[in-house]
Amino acid sequence: MGEIDPAFIQDQEHRAKLSPIEAEGIPLIDLLPLTTSLDNTDGLISEIRDACQNWGFFQVINHGVPLEKRQRIEYAARKFFALPLEEKRKVRRDEVQVLGYYDTEHTKNVRDWKEVFDLGVDDPIRVPASTDLDEKEVIEWHNKWPEYPPELREACEEYAEEVSKLSHKLLELIALSLGLPADRFHGFFKERTTFIRLNHYPPCPVPHLALGVGRHKDSGALTVLAQDDVGGLEVKRKSDGEWIGVKPTPNAYIINVGDIIQVWSNDMYESVEHRVMVNSERERFSIPFFFNPASYTMVKPLEELIDKQNPARYMAYSWGRFLATRTSGNFRKLNVENLQIQHFRISDSKLATA
């Protein structure tokens, strides 16, 4: 990425500490009980509930994703990012076709120190053609596959199939932890807008000034993250607002609930801010799997979780239009903060008079 551009520099209050606190408390949950059935998983469901309420993040082991599938996609990703820039830019994404390679993404209007390759798990992904509420037209986002490495496409597709299975299991556990039927969320994901991102964070000469990804919350339902042994992910601890480093656990996945689950649960579970530090000596690779519902989904608190004592805290919003708006903000610096679920939050004063 060459010399440091001022576009990468974070404001003083958002810069990472070079010696972060490690998160000893982030739960590590063993999913082995799922190999039998959901009938004897009360302890597991309780662990999920505590993790979602207290952290918004947890790690899982014995998750059922074959190690060789993960290793294959990781190896293919490394080969792709090692290509010359002009080769990678042959599959560069743009504001019309938003899937593919990109190296100038912004978070909170500051450029991230990273390069990415995005692909839809279901090809194509269909979203509204504009953010206009009266828009009826739908556009399609198609995957762009590079010529090299030739195994990248198959590796990604095989990996997506396995992590999709894990994501459905996790959503069932989250539903049960909220006192809902295990299949409560199934209907939202019949036509998913789920995608995989391959991340590469090159060594950065000024790790005290830049971030791999700035502070943000994930706007979808669930994120399943594979990271290498370099580390760099930091989570904002709910108890005190301190930024905590998540130490890599071999062959584990890091799970976080996104904004959609926060809204569905009517704030019982919270989507938590996180960011990625950069390293001055080592490159870092990670693969987040963003598990998202159909674009026509109207996101709102679930009826089973609201009553007179606990009224709905959010107005309904269109996930497809939300996704399209948030995605457009990745391509340029905006004059205002990108769309957030807080823009749909019902104020406490309105709740008090409802």
Side-chain angles (χ1 to χ4, degrees), residues 41-81:
T41 54
D42 289 348
L44 180 56
I45 293 166
S46 179
E47 288 184 78
I48 294 286
R49 181 184 302 111
D50 290 345
C52 291
Q53 287 179 334
N54 298 324
W55 281 94
F57 271 79
F58 54 95
Q59 298 188 71
V60 294
I61 56 174
N62 291 318
H63 41 68
V65 177
L67 179 58
E68 63 269 20
K69 303 293 186 184
R70 175 167 168 172
Q71 290 174 331
R72 190 179 183 207
I73 190 175
E74 288 174 345
Y75 184 58
R78 287 174 181 267
K79 290 171 72 174
F80 171 74
F81 286 121

Side-chain angles (χ1 to χ4, degrees), residues 1 76-93 99-103 114-117 144-149 152 200 202 283 285:
M1 289 186 176
R78 287 174 181 267
K79 290 171 72 174
F80 171 74
F81 286 121
L83 292 173
L85 185 58
E86 59 268 22
E87 285 298 312
K88 290 181 285 192
R89 285 185 171 173
K90 288 180 180 178
V91 289
R92 193 174 191 269
R93 72 187 199 190
L99 301 175
Y101 174 78
Y102 204 60
D103 60 352
K114 70 180 183 204
E115 54 181 345
V116 306
F117 180 79
K144 296 179 180 179
W145 295 105
E147 291 183 14
Y148 185 86
L152 179 64
H200 174 224
E283 61 184 343
F285 296 87

Side-chain angles (χ1 to χ4, degrees), residues 42-316:
D42 289 348
L44 180 56
I45 293 166
S46 179
E47 288 184 78
I48 294 286
R49 181 184 302 111
D50 290 345
C52 291
Q53 287 179 334
N54 298 324
W55 281 94
F57 271 79
F58 54 95
Q59 298 188 71
V60 294
I61 56 174
N62 291 318
H63 41 68
V65 177
L67 179 58
E68 63 269 20
K69 303 293 186 184
R70 175 167 168 172
Q71 290 174 331
R72 190 179 183 207
I73 190 175
E74 288 174 345
Y75 184 58
R78 287 174 181 267
K79 290 171 72 174
F80 171 74
F81 286 121
L83 292 173
L85 185 58
E86 59 268 22
E87 285 298 312
K88 290 181 285 192
R89 285 185 171 173
K90 288 180 180 178
V91 289
R92 193 174 191 269
R93 72 187 199 190
D94 55 45
E95 291 188 57
V96 177
Q97 287 298 325
V98 304
L99 301 175
Y101 174 78
Y102 204 60
D103 60 352
T104 56
E105 189 163 272
H106 290 73
T107 302
K108 303 290 186 185
N109 290 322
V110 180
R111 188 174 168 187
D112 297 328
W113 191 272
K114 70 180 183 204
E115 54 181 345
V116 306
F117 180 79
D118 288 336
L119 59 120
V121 170
D122 299 311
D123 187 11
I125 290 177
R126 295 180 176 87
V127 296
S130 78
T131 58
D132 189 335
L133 290 177
D134 296 323
E135 179 65 72
K136 302 298 182 184
E137 185 181 350
V138 172
I139 60 171
E140 295 182 341
W141 294 342
H142 293 271
N143 288 333
K144 296 179 180 179
W145 295 105
E147 291 183 14
Y148 185 86
E151 68 272 21
L152 179 64
R153 179 170 184 168
E154 186 176 338
C156 290
E157 290 174 348
E158 290 181 352
Y159 181 78
E161 183 178 352
E162 296 296 336
V163 182
S164 290
K165 295 175 187 175
L166 171 60
S167 300
H168 278 291
K169 291 178 185 176
L170 291 168
L171 271 187
E172 288 180 348
L173 289 170
I174 289 171
L176 291 168
S177 75
L178 289 166
L180 303 169
D183 63 355
R184 180 61 177 88
F185 299 125
H186 286 188
F188 297 116
F189 292 85
K190 290 180 179 178
E191 295 181 49
R192 303 170 296 181
T193 53
T194 296
F195 67 97
I196 292 175
R197 166 165 287 183
L198 310 180
N199 282 321
H200 174 224
Y201 304 93
C204 178
V206 287
H208 59 295
L209 298 179
L211 287 169
V213 183
R215 72 200 190 283
H216 68 285
K217 299 182 179 184
D218 290 350
S219 58
L222 197 70
T223 304
V224 181
L225 174 71
Q227 66 169 345
D228 63 14
D229 63 345
V230 175
L233 175 66
E234 291 190 327
V235 174
K236 194 170 188 179
R237 187 163 56 193
K238 290 179 64 176
S239 61
D240 58 7
E242 188 72 55
W243 285 102
I244 306 295
V246 181
K247 184 177 180 180
T249 300
N251 197 32
Y253 282 100
I254 299 168
I255 314 299
N256 63 282
V257 298
D259 289 345
I260 288 177
I261 286 182
Q262 177 169 332
V263 174
W264 279 342
S265 71
N266 204 33
D267 282 351
M268 290 179 66
Y269 296 161
E270 183 182 350
S271 174
V272 174
E273 273 196 321
H274 49 288
R275 65 187 185 185
V276 176
M277 293 179 62
V278 284
N279 192 299
S280 61
E281 298 177 356
R282 299 182 64 188
E283 61 184 343
R284 176 180 183 262
F285 296 87
S286 70
I287 306 173
F289 181 95
F290 298 105
F291 198 52
N292 299 330
S295 101
Y296 51 74
T297 301
M298 291 301 295
V299 182
K300 60 182 179 179
L302 298 178
E303 293 180 1
E304 303 96 311
L305 301 179
I306 58 176
D307 53 34
K308 288 186 178 180
Q309 288 70 41
N310 187 33
R313 298 179 180 275
Y314 297 89
M315 298 178 287

